[in-house]
Amino acid sequence: NDKCTRCYWLGEDPEVTLHPTFDNQNDTVDYFCFRGVDNFNIPGFGEVVKVNATGARLGMEVDLFLYFGVDDCEAGPGNALDYAAAVGGDSEEIKWSETNSADDGVYYIAVHHYGEPSCYWPYTLSVQGLR
């Protein structure tokens, strides 16, 4: 899952918690993807995508990026719907609210790591699809 096109598939509007690891010191990003189904669209009461990364080991910093579609994912952070990139700490959170348009499609999550890779220690990734 080191490229957008090789993302780890999470299914349709998942509600899942994973414990991935980075493969090696050169593995700087993991990609996950899911299909979002827009079921509810009233302004102020729309659906939300939530992504949390916690449990990074001491010396390892992770940042999260959420993309809509493979083209935006491959284009990189400037095209993200939302991101969480706080300095320090062991957790990041994205809470993205849908637009007033149809938001059906494939969403991509990129987890970037910086510093010590801690490849033998998992981090915790929780994903709630468009709900």
Side-chain angles (χ1 to χ4, degrees):
N1 64 340
D2 296 339
K3 294 183 179 186
C4 297
T5 56
R6 294 189 200 163
C7 60
Y8 183 86
W9 182 250
L10 301 174
E12 188 173 285
D13 283 334
E15 190 156 352
V16 61
T17 298
L18 306 168
H19 302 282
T21 61
F22 290 99
D23 299 327
N24 58 59
Q25 289 184 323
N26 296 321
D27 180 13
T28 58
V29 63
D30 284 342
Y31 291 95
F32 302 86
C33 53
F34 66 91
R35 177 157 177 70
V37 178
D38 191 353
N39 294 308
F40 190 75
N41 197 350
I42 297 175
F45 299 97
E47 297 175 301
V48 175
V49 172
K50 295 179 185 176
V51 182
N52 292 298
T54 59
R57 302 284 292 181
L58 184 62
M60 180 179 157
E61 172 74 28
V62 297
D63 292 343
L64 296 174
F65 296 86
L66 177 68
Y67 301 97
F68 183 77
V70 70
D71 291 341
D72 284 350
C73 181
E74 289 181 333
N79 288 354
L81 292 173
D82 201 358
Y83 66 94
V87 176
D90 68 345
S91 65
E92 299 287 355
E93 177 181 44
I94 290 175
K95 186 176 179 182
W96 178 80
S97 298
E98 70 177 335
T99 66
N100 291 329
S101 301
D103 293 303
D104 291 319
V106 178
Y107 291 80
Y108 292 80
I109 300 162
V111 181
H112 292 259
H113 87 77
Y114 305 94
E116 182 63 38
S118 300
C119 56
Y120 297 110
W121 297 99
Y123 60 94
T124 300
L125 182 70
S126 298
V127 178
Q128 175 188 298
L130 198 58
R131 296 176 180 263

